[in-house]
Amino acid sequence: HTRLQGDWSSDVCSSDLDAVGRKRGIGNGGGNDEREQTLNQMLAEMDGFGTERGSVIVLAATNRVDVLDNALTRPGRFDRVIQVPYPDLESRRQILQVHIKNVQVAPGVSIDKIARGTPGFSGAELENLINEAALHTAKSNRELLDVEDFEFARDKIILGAERKTMIQSVEEKKITAYHEGGHALLNMLLQNTDPFHKVTIMPRGRALGVSHSLPEKDRYSHSRTFMTERVQVALGGLLAEKMIFNEQTSGASSDIKNATNIIRQMVCSYGMSDQIGRAHV
């Protein structure tokens, strides 16, 4: 947005800042690249803006600060930087109240419960939750959205759509059942894990089965014990396959990837290692 003489203009730029402000010198066209020319012109115009009354105020938004050119992020370009994190519980409740005004909700639906059950959801995902719930209600030939519709919409967003047309053999279903059972058993035995929200062998997205945990409250930090137990739960399906069938399937690929990412963060980012990754004091 631009503001001239105290009045907001109607011109709105729909693209993020990273669309025109990416780092220079990484394109194929070098200095003649259109994106770089646009960035150079924007920097020149920003340098020409004054601070007296009637000057232009520049506002920009991006979710990829890491790709912005250094000239845009240095002091003096944007004097105030406002971080917009994922909404917390109260913010989710207020966002849901805004979007839920456009639909008809059954009397028993609690906005507070929906907000508690959607930790980590962005504002766009919460809006999509309402839309998916409304579509499920319409397909069921009902007029009011109930709790079942919101549960269905949340599972679809988090886990992916059910693949009801996928035909599996009895042996494949058996392996998947033991695999997901391994996740569920470890999650129940360990003390610091989030409770499982759903365990199913119904194929969803690219997965043949899903075991999904849902935090009981918003988490802003994770302990070493919590992350270690997450790794153990992630590998529970693989262990169950080896114990029951003395075999390993490709179904554990996403679990191994998830466990590897957690371990890499523990060592490289959080210093949760006795050998490497942190300074010994």
PDB file of all heavy atoms in Angstrom, residues 12-33:
ATOM      1  N   VAL A  12      -2.953  -1.782  -4.755  1.00  0.00           N
ATOM      2  CA  VAL A  12      -2.495  -2.856  -3.901  1.00  0.00           C
ATOM      3  C   VAL A  12      -1.657  -3.820  -4.722  1.00  0.00           C
ATOM      4  O   VAL A  12      -2.058  -4.220  -5.805  1.00  0.00           O
ATOM      5  CB  VAL A  12      -3.687  -3.628  -3.268  1.00  0.00           C
ATOM      6  CG1 VAL A  12      -3.183  -4.781  -2.427  1.00  0.00           C
ATOM      7  CG2 VAL A  12      -4.541  -2.701  -2.441  1.00  0.00           C
ATOM      8  N   CYS A  13      -0.480  -4.165  -4.218  1.00  0.00           N
ATOM      9  CA  CYS A  13       0.388  -5.136  -4.872  1.00  0.00           C
ATOM     10  C   CYS A  13       0.114  -6.501  -4.260  1.00  0.00           C
ATOM     11  O   CYS A  13       0.228  -6.673  -3.051  1.00  0.00           O
ATOM     12  CB  CYS A  13       1.859  -4.755  -4.703  1.00  0.00           C
ATOM     13  SG  CYS A  13       3.002  -5.919  -5.461  1.00  0.00           S
ATOM     14  N   SER A  14      -0.280  -7.476  -5.089  1.00  0.00           N
ATOM     15  CA  SER A  14      -0.682  -8.780  -4.576  1.00  0.00           C
ATOM     16  C   SER A  14       0.479  -9.739  -4.404  1.00  0.00           C
ATOM     17  O   SER A  14       0.329 -10.777  -3.782  1.00  0.00           O
ATOM     18  CB  SER A  14      -1.713  -9.416  -5.526  1.00  0.00           C
ATOM     19  OG  SER A  14      -1.156  -9.572  -6.821  1.00  0.00           O
ATOM     20  N   SER A  15       1.636  -9.428  -4.955  1.00  0.00           N
ATOM     21  CA  SER A  15       2.768 -10.348  -4.869  1.00  0.00           C
ATOM     22  C   SER A  15       3.597 -10.068  -3.621  1.00  0.00           C
ATOM     23  O   SER A  15       3.615  -8.959  -3.102  1.00  0.00           O
ATOM     24  CB  SER A  15       3.648 -10.227  -6.111  1.00  0.00           C
ATOM     25  OG  SER A  15       4.156  -8.918  -6.228  1.00  0.00           O
ATOM     26  N   ASP A  16       4.279 -11.106  -3.134  1.00  0.00           N
ATOM     27  CA  ASP A  16       5.161 -10.933  -1.980  1.00  0.00           C
ATOM     28  C   ASP A  16       6.439 -10.222  -2.399  1.00  0.00           C
ATOM     29  O   ASP A  16       6.801 -10.185  -3.571  1.00  0.00           O
ATOM     30  CB  ASP A  16       5.503 -12.294  -1.374  1.00  0.00           C
ATOM     31  CG  ASP A  16       4.300 -12.926  -0.692  1.00  0.00           C
ATOM     32  OD1 ASP A  16       3.331 -12.197  -0.458  1.00  0.00           O
ATOM     33  OD2 ASP A  16       4.350 -14.129  -0.411  1.00  0.00           O
ATOM     34  N   LEU A  17       7.159  -9.697  -1.385  1.00  0.00           N
ATOM     35  CA  LEU A  17       8.385  -8.964  -1.662  1.00  0.00           C
ATOM     36  C   LEU A  17       9.432  -9.866  -2.310  1.00  0.00           C
ATOM     37  O   LEU A  17      10.230  -9.402  -3.136  1.00  0.00           O
ATOM     38  CB  LEU A  17       8.920  -8.357  -0.370  1.00  0.00           C
ATOM     39  CG  LEU A  17      10.205  -7.527  -0.483  1.00  0.00           C
ATOM     40  CD1 LEU A  17       9.994  -6.338  -1.424  1.00  0.00           C
ATOM     41  CD2 LEU A  17      10.662  -7.059   0.878  1.00  0.00           C
ATOM     42  N   ASP A  18       9.443 -11.158  -1.957  1.00  0.00           N
ATOM     43  CA  ASP A  18      10.454 -12.055  -2.526  1.00  0.00           C
ATOM     44  C   ASP A  18      10.243 -12.305  -4.015  1.00  0.00           C
ATOM     45  O   ASP A  18      11.129 -12.839  -4.682  1.00  0.00           O
ATOM     46  CB  ASP A  18      10.469 -13.391  -1.771  1.00  0.00           C
ATOM     47  CG  ASP A  18       9.093 -14.018  -1.690  1.00  0.00           C
ATOM     48  OD1 ASP A  18       8.683 -14.681  -2.651  1.00  0.00           O
ATOM     49  OD2 ASP A  18       8.428 -13.831  -0.667  1.00  0.00           O
ATOM     50  N   ALA A  19       9.069 -11.910  -4.551  1.00  0.00           N
ATOM     51  CA  ALA A  19       8.837 -12.077  -5.986  1.00  0.00           C
ATOM     52  C   ALA A  19       9.690 -11.111  -6.806  1.00  0.00           C
ATOM     53  O   ALA A  19      10.071 -11.425  -7.939  1.00  0.00           O
ATOM     54  CB  ALA A  19       7.356 -11.868  -6.306  1.00  0.00           C
ATOM     55  N   VAL A  20      10.003  -9.941  -6.242  1.00  0.00           N
ATOM     56  CA  VAL A  20      10.801  -8.941  -6.971  1.00  0.00           C
ATOM     57  C   VAL A  20      12.088  -8.584  -6.230  1.00  0.00           C
ATOM     58  O   VAL A  20      12.906  -7.841  -6.760  1.00  0.00           O
ATOM     59  CB  VAL A  20       9.980  -7.655  -7.223  1.00  0.00           C
ATOM     60  CG1 VAL A  20       8.822  -7.935  -8.153  1.00  0.00           C
ATOM     61  CG2 VAL A  20       9.482  -7.069  -5.907  1.00  0.00           C
ATOM     62  N   GLY A  21      12.252  -9.107  -5.036  1.00  0.00           N
ATOM     63  CA  GLY A  21      13.409  -8.705  -4.229  1.00  0.00           C
ATOM     64  C   GLY A  21      14.376  -9.820  -3.922  1.00  0.00           C
ATOM     65  O   GLY A  21      15.091  -9.758  -2.925  1.00  0.00           O
ATOM     66  N   ARG A  22      14.433 -10.841  -4.785  1.00  0.00           N
ATOM     67  CA  ARG A  22      15.378 -11.933  -4.540  1.00  0.00           C
ATOM     68  C   ARG A  22      16.821 -11.474  -4.743  1.00  0.00           C
ATOM     69  O   ARG A  22      17.080 -10.467  -5.395  1.00  0.00           O
ATOM     70  CB  ARG A  22      15.083 -13.117  -5.469  1.00  0.00           C
ATOM     71  CG  ARG A  22      13.858 -13.903  -5.054  1.00  0.00           C
ATOM     72  CD  ARG A  22      13.584 -15.045  -6.015  1.00  0.00           C
ATOM     73  NE  ARG A  22      12.496 -15.877  -5.519  1.00  0.00           N
ATOM     74  CZ  ARG A  22      12.654 -16.999  -4.825  1.00  0.00           C
ATOM     75  NH1 ARG A  22      13.884 -17.418  -4.565  1.00  0.00           N
ATOM     76  NH2 ARG A  22      11.629 -17.697  -4.402  1.00  0.00           N
ATOM     77  N   LYS A  23      17.738 -12.225  -4.174  1.00  0.00           N
ATOM     78  CA  LYS A  23      19.153 -11.879  -4.238  1.00  0.00           C
ATOM     79  C   LYS A  23      19.619 -11.779  -5.683  1.00  0.00           C
ATOM     80  O   LYS A  23      19.278 -12.594  -6.520  1.00  0.00           O
ATOM     81  CB  LYS A  23      19.982 -12.927  -3.495  1.00  0.00           C
ATOM     82  CG  LYS A  23      19.718 -12.956  -1.991  1.00  0.00           C
ATOM     83  CD  LYS A  23      20.557 -14.016  -1.304  1.00  0.00           C
ATOM     84  CE  LYS A  23      20.284 -14.029   0.205  1.00  0.00           C
ATOM     85  NZ  LYS A  23      21.070 -15.070   0.900  1.00  0.00           N
ATOM     86  N   ARG A  24      20.431 -10.759  -5.927  1.00  0.00           N
ATOM     87  CA  ARG A  24      20.956 -10.549  -7.275  1.00  0.00           C
ATOM     88  C   ARG A  24      22.152 -11.464  -7.539  1.00  0.00           C
ATOM     89  O   ARG A  24      22.845 -11.884  -6.625  1.00  0.00           O
ATOM     90  CB  ARG A  24      21.372  -9.080  -7.451  1.00  0.00           C
ATOM     91  CG  ARG A  24      20.186  -8.135  -7.508  1.00  0.00           C
ATOM     92  CD  ARG A  24      20.615  -6.694  -7.394  1.00  0.00           C
ATOM     93  NE  ARG A  24      21.034  -6.377  -6.026  1.00  0.00           N
ATOM     94  CZ  ARG A  24      21.359  -5.150  -5.616  1.00  0.00           C
ATOM     95  NH1 ARG A  24      21.320  -4.145  -6.470  1.00  0.00           N
ATOM     96  NH2 ARG A  24      21.725  -4.940  -4.370  1.00  0.00           N
ATOM     97  N   GLY A  25      22.348 -11.770  -8.822  1.00  0.00           N
ATOM     98  CA  GLY A  25      23.495 -12.560  -9.220  1.00  0.00           C
ATOM     99  C   GLY A  25      23.257 -14.049  -9.252  1.00  0.00           C
ATOM    100  O   GLY A  25      24.177 -14.819  -9.509  1.00  0.00           O
ATOM    101  N   ILE A  26      22.017 -14.500  -8.990  1.00  0.00           N
ATOM    102  CA  ILE A  26      21.742 -15.930  -8.996  1.00  0.00           C
ATOM    103  C   ILE A  26      20.892 -16.346 -10.177  1.00  0.00           C
ATOM    104  O   ILE A  26      20.612 -17.519 -10.352  1.00  0.00           O
ATOM    105  CB  ILE A  26      21.042 -16.355  -7.689  1.00  0.00           C
ATOM    106  CG1 ILE A  26      19.712 -15.610  -7.526  1.00  0.00           C
ATOM    107  CG2 ILE A  26      21.938 -16.120  -6.492  1.00  0.00           C
ATOM    108  CD1 ILE A  26      18.926 -16.064  -6.305  1.00  0.00           C
ATOM    109  N   GLY A  27      20.482 -15.389 -11.001  1.00  0.00           N
ATOM    110  CA  GLY A  27      19.666 -15.708 -12.169  1.00  0.00           C
ATOM    111  C   GLY A  27      20.526 -16.058 -13.366  1.00  0.00           C
ATOM    112  O   GLY A  27      21.753 -15.902 -13.374  1.00  0.00           O
ATOM    113  N   ASN A  28      19.862 -16.518 -14.423  1.00  0.00           N
ATOM    114  CA  ASN A  28      20.583 -16.893 -15.634  1.00  0.00           C
ATOM    115  C   ASN A  28      20.962 -15.690 -16.476  1.00  0.00           C
ATOM    116  O   ASN A  28      21.889 -15.762 -17.281  1.00  0.00           O
ATOM    117  CB  ASN A  28      19.720 -17.841 -16.479  1.00  0.00           C
ATOM    118  CG  ASN A  28      19.460 -19.161 -15.781  1.00  0.00           C
ATOM    119  OD1 ASN A  28      20.322 -19.640 -15.051  1.00  0.00           O
ATOM    120  ND2 ASN A  28      18.282 -19.748 -15.997  1.00  0.00           N
ATOM    121  N   GLY A  29      20.265 -14.568 -16.282  1.00  0.00           N
ATOM    122  CA  GLY A  29      20.511 -13.422 -17.137  1.00  0.00           C
ATOM    123  C   GLY A  29      21.523 -12.437 -16.598  1.00  0.00           C
ATOM    124  O   GLY A  29      21.793 -11.417 -17.226  1.00  0.00           O
ATOM    125  N   GLY A  30      22.097 -12.712 -15.423  1.00  0.00           N
ATOM    126  CA  GLY A  30      23.062 -11.785 -14.852  1.00  0.00           C
ATOM    127  C   GLY A  30      22.428 -10.445 -14.540  1.00  0.00           C
ATOM    128  O   GLY A  30      21.284 -10.352 -14.097  1.00  0.00           O
ATOM    129  N   GLY A  31      23.153  -9.384 -14.801  1.00  0.00           N
ATOM    130  CA  GLY A  31      22.644  -8.045 -14.506  1.00  0.00           C
ATOM    131  C   GLY A  31      21.529  -7.607 -15.424  1.00  0.00           C
ATOM    132  O   GLY A  31      20.840  -6.631 -15.146  1.00  0.00           O
ATOM    133  N   ASN A  32      21.336  -8.296 -16.529  1.00  0.00           N
ATOM    134  CA  ASN A  32      20.276  -7.945 -17.464  1.00  0.00           C
ATOM    135  C   ASN A  32      18.969  -8.670 -17.173  1.00  0.00           C
ATOM    136  O   ASN A  32      17.997  -8.508 -17.914  1.00  0.00           O
ATOM    137  CB  ASN A  32      20.712  -8.277 -18.899  1.00  0.00           C
ATOM    138  CG  ASN A  32      21.854  -7.379 -19.358  1.00  0.00           C
ATOM    139  OD1 ASN A  32      21.895  -6.199 -19.002  1.00  0.00           O
ATOM    140  ND2 ASN A  32      22.793  -7.935 -20.117  1.00  0.00           N
ATOM    141  N   ASP A  33      18.973  -9.478 -16.156  1.00  0.00           N
ATOM    142  CA  ASP A  33      17.760 -10.198 -15.795  1.00  0.00           C
ATOM    143  C   ASP A  33      16.667  -9.196 -15.409  1.00  0.00           C
ATOM    144  O   ASP A  33      16.918  -8.219 -14.697  1.00  0.00           O
ATOM    145  CB  ASP A  33      18.052 -11.143 -14.632  1.00  0.00           C
ATOM    146  CG  ASP A  33      16.845 -11.997 -14.288  1.00  0.00           C
ATOM    147  OD1 ASP A  33      16.550 -12.916 -15.057  1.00  0.00           O
ATOM    148  OD2 ASP A  33      16.207 -11.712 -13.254  1.00  0.00           O
TER     149      ASP A  33
END
